[in-house]
Amino acid sequence: MTSSSALASGHIGLNVTDLGRSLPFYADTLGFDVIGEGKEDGRRFAFLGRDGTLVLTLWQQAESAFEATRAGLHHLAFEAASIDEVRAAEARLKDLGVDFAHDGVVAHREDAASGGIFFHDPDGTRLEIYAPSGAEEAPAPSAAAPTCGFF
């Protein structure tokens, strides 16, 4: 790598306890396309993306749920184009009984334009869907720390 090259985020890989439960959550509920899937015993996985671009890989190899107190992934955030898209996602997730960390759209911090919704996947992994603007009137759960930091 040269000093002039820049790194960008690639795909995310998440361990899950049950691919049969997690795949519909990420594909159907969050709108990802299944690009590929491995169904061999002991080696189950799914490649998920949009428009043919890999975004997320689910690996069925976890033995227990997400633990916020362990080193590793803190949360996974997905950016929406608008706060209206965030609210539409919130309505879909509420209809499915998803566990939310906060009620409704919240600002990333006090007086911030960005904000979103914070919730958990079937294994308890912390997730966020946010928009870079449109949350100016939304409350911030904590005045002292970023909303996405402690949930």
Side-chain angles (χ1 to χ4, degrees):
M1 182 165 68
T2 66
S3 61
S4 64
S5 62
L7 296 175
S9 295
H11 72 278
I12 303 295
L14 289 181
N15 282 340
V16 299
T17 58
D18 181 352
L19 189 63
R21 178 179 67 173
S22 293
L23 184 55
F25 177 84
Y26 284 95
D28 301 338
T29 306
L30 296 182
F32 287 106
D33 299 322
V34 178
I35 296 172
E37 192 173 354
K39 298 180 181 184
E40 181 183 324
D41 263 356
R43 295 191 163 288
R44 297 200 57 213
F45 63 89
F47 296 133
L48 303 171
R50 291 211 170 99
D51 301 322
T53 300
L54 179 62
V55 174
L56 180 66
T57 303
L58 303 177
W59 303 98
Q60 183 175 298
Q61 57 188 11
E63 294 179 6
S64 61
F66 177 82
E67 292 182 46
T69 58
R70 297 190 66 163
L73 179 73
H74 181 275
H75 75 284
L76 180 55
F78 299 103
E79 184 176 329
S82 70
I83 206 71
D84 289 336
E85 285 186 23
V86 173
R87 288 191 174 102
E90 176 190 21
R92 274 193 320 274
L93 294 167
K94 278 188 175 181
D95 286 346
L96 295 167
V98 169
D99 176 45
F100 282 81
H102 305 293
D103 188 31
V105 171
V106 293
H108 277 140
R109 60 175 170 66
E110 207 168 317
D111 299 319
S114 64
I117 56 174
F118 298 84
F119 56 100
H120 302 92
D121 81 354
D123 283 312
T125 301
R126 299 182 296 191
L127 303 172
E128 170 186 5
I129 298 175
Y130 75 96
S133 63
E136 292 86 346
E137 303 300 318
S142 169
T147 300
C148 62
F150 300 93
F151 69 100

